Each structure stands twice: as structure tokens, then as C-alpha cells.
């Protein structure tokens, strides 16, 4: 199964409201980043057991670790969680930027260093979320 099929299966596997919100977010992210690299991390361990929420990733950048090691990873992530949806903006280095820039205007969402977490799209200002995603995309 290719990455696009894995993403489709993951989104389809969600309950209806979350599924339609994730389909819309997937469409929005691809509209912002039309030529981006797609990722799907199923978050399963060596025995095939899911150890974390699966993630859809968009774009790519290089993470630089202490000691000189590097790793390619996605810029924007999308994942279902037990209470709703998380959008990860991983390519912004300043861990206060998202909360300071978007936290007050986004609506009913938890905004941390790299994650915007909300129950449904109805709870947030989608234009503010789009701006945060765009910031994450252009950060690299």
C-alpha cells in the first residue's frame, strides 16, 4: 500500500465527525503545500503494536541534533487523538511562536510549542489555523 492509500485508510478509519474534519484539513494542507512530500507514520513497534497515534506528515526539513547528527522529518503533521485532532507545526524553531502568535485568536484550542490541538474544526478559526500552517511551511 502506498503512502496516499495509507493516509486515505487512516482518515476513513476515524469516526464520522473526526473523519470529515481530517479530510478537510488534509485538503487545506495540500492546498497550501501542493507539491509537498507526504509521510505516513503508523507508530507501530517491531511487534506491530500501535504505540502512539499515527501521523500524516507534509513537507520535509532537516532536524539538526547536538553532536552533528541530522534526520529528515515532516514540517506539518496531522493526527487524530482521543479528544479530537492535533496539527503539528514542527519546522518553527521558536517554541513560543505558535502560542504567542495564534493562541488568542484561534478559538477553542490548546496551543503549545509545536502543537495545535482542538476537538472539531467548528471550535476554531480555520483562517488562523491556515496562517499557522503556512508559517510552518515557509519556515524552511
Amino acid at each position: 500500500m502506498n503512502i496516499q492509500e495509507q493516509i486515505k485508510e487512516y482518515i476513513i478509519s476515524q469516526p464520522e465527525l473526526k473523519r470529515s474534519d481530517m479530510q478537510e484539513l488534509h485538503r487545506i494542507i495540500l492546498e497550501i503545500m501542493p507539491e509537498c512530500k507526504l509521510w505516513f507514520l503508523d507508530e507501530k513497534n517491531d511487534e506491530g503494536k500501535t504505540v502512539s497515534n499515527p501521523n500524516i506528515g507534509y513537507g520535509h526539513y532537516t532536524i539538526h541534533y547536538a553532536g552533528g547528527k541530522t534526520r529528515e522529518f515532516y514540517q506539518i503533521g496531522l493526527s487524530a487523538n482521543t479528544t479530537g485532532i492535533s496539527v503539528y507545526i514542527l519546522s518553527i524553531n521558536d517554541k513560543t511562536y505558535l502560542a504567542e502568535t495564534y493562541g488568542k485568536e484561534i478559538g477553542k484550542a490548546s496551543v503549545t510549542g509545536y502543537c495545535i490541538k482542538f476537538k472539531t474544526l467548528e471550535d476554531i478559526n480555520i483562517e488562523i489555523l491556515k496562517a499557522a500552517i503556512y508559517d510552518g511551511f515557509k519556515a524552511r
Side-chain angles (χ1 to χ4, degrees), residues 10-57:
Y10 173 59
I11 292 173
I12 288 172
S13 74
Q14 302 304 313
E16 172 48 37
L17 180 58
K18 198 177 291 187
R19 176 175 56 241
S20 60
D21 282 354
M22 288 186 72
Q23 285 171 328
E24 178 64 5
L25 285 166
H26 182 65
R27 184 195 66 75
I28 287 168
I29 296 168
L30 290 176
E31 185 177 278
I32 294 169
M33 306 168 64
E35 301 297 321
C36 71
K37 177 178 180 176
L38 289 175
W39 304 63
F40 184 75
L41 284 70
D42 65 6
E43 300 300 337
K44 293 183 179 179
N45 65 14
D46 293 338
E47 290 117 36
K49 182 178 177 183
T50 301
V51 294
S52 182
N53 293 330
N55 288 272
I56 303 168

Side-chain angles (χ1 to χ4, degrees), residues 91-133:
S91 54
I92 296 175
N93 288 330
D94 180 350
K95 297 304 175 198
T96 63
Y97 180 80
L98 283 180
E100 289 175 358
T101 306
Y102 302 108
K104 291 180 181 165
E105 297 178 355
I106 198 156
K108 293 178 8 181
S110 165
V111 183
T112 62
Y114 63 88
C115 181
I116 300 171
K117 186 175 176 181
F118 49 92
K119 187 170 183 173
T120 69
L121 285 177
E122 287 182 358
D123 293 334
I124 64 165
N125 181 328
I126 193 68
E127 294 305 315
I128 299 298
L129 180 62
K130 285 179 184 179
I133 292 167

Side-chain angles (χ1 to χ4, degrees), residues 81-96:
N81 59 57
T82 55
T83 59
I85 298 171
S86 294
V87 175
Y88 303 98
I89 316 285
L90 300 175
S91 54
I92 296 175
N93 288 330
D94 180 350
K95 297 304 175 198
T96 63

